[in-house]
Amino acid sequence: MRLGSAMQEGSPRESGLGVRAEVSRRRRILVIDHDDDTRLIVCDRLVAMGFDAVGEDNGISGLVRIAHEIDGAPLTGVVLELDMPVLGGMAVLQELRDRYPAVPVIAMSHSILIDRLRQAVKLGAREYVVKPFDSELFRTKCLRAFVNGSDAA
């Protein structure tokens, strides 16, 4: 499901992100989460930051989307829920690291799974967020992983 960009071509963004929003406006982020509400909220927040956001509801469909889009409209990054019933997030992360090591990942999960989030970073996730997460912290981590860190990827 494509949610699109919050910005029109050439229009300034009034979000306080300034130059960073302009830099990130064409960056495309895939959100993989089985929870519809969370996936939509995360996509909405990404769009509000100036990213294009697309969502998938399980790890298999997320990997299929990445495989189809990586050659066309490449993804800038992935926000990945670790605790999913269809192909869990850790398996998706491992597959991403093996096939697409340059694509940055932000892992997310509930606070009771903090050890799994830390393990995800050891496996290659660039950042992690604990749900429910603070919007400002999420924005900071997205900019760090998908804008500032993208030159290093």
Side-chain angles (χ1 to χ4, degrees):
M1 91 193 202
R2 184 160 193 327
L3 294 178
S5 174
M7 296 180 60
Q8 303 252 350
E9 284 296 319
S11 68
R13 180 101 175 124
E14 301 285 46
S15 68
L17 296 178
V19 174
R20 287 187 177 156
E22 290 298 318
V23 169
S24 68
R25 75 176 149 162
R26 289 184 215 101
R27 295 173 191 257
R28 190 170 167 89
I29 310 299
L30 173 62
V31 178
I32 305 173
D33 194 324
H34 68 286
D35 181 85
D36 293 339
D37 291 335
T38 301
R39 188 175 61 255
L40 289 173
I41 289 168
V42 171
C43 284
D44 286 346
R45 289 183 182 171
L46 288 165
V47 168
M49 285 184 254
F51 294 101
D52 283 337
V54 292
E56 291 294 338
D57 63 359
N58 67 68
I60 294 170
S61 64
L63 288 173
V64 168
R65 180 178 287 259
I66 292 167
H68 285 106
E69 293 193 13
I70 205 75
D71 293 327
L75 293 167
T76 301
V78 176
V79 177
L80 175 65
E81 165 60 44
L82 295 181
D83 189 32
M84 292 186 292
V86 179
L87 190 63
M90 294 301 273
V92 173
L93 177 61
Q94 186 62 55
E95 194 68 25
L96 288 170
R97 295 293 55 101
D98 292 346
R99 291 186 183 195
Y100 314 106
V103 176
V105 175
I106 296 178
M108 66 179 174
S109 199
H110 293 282
S111 61
I112 59 171
L113 299 173
I114 191 73
D115 289 336
R116 191 177 296 171
L117 286 165
R118 289 181 180 134
Q119 182 183 5
V121 170
K122 287 180 184 176
L123 284 175
R126 202 165 281 172
E127 296 281 348
Y128 73 84
V129 292
V130 177
K131 295 194 295 188
F133 51 84
D134 172 83
S135 293
E136 186 61 25
L137 179 61
F138 182 66
R139 183 183 77 79
T140 299
K141 290 191 175 209
C142 286
L143 290 174
R144 190 177 325 162
F146 304 141
V147 177
N148 300 336
S150 67
D151 296 330

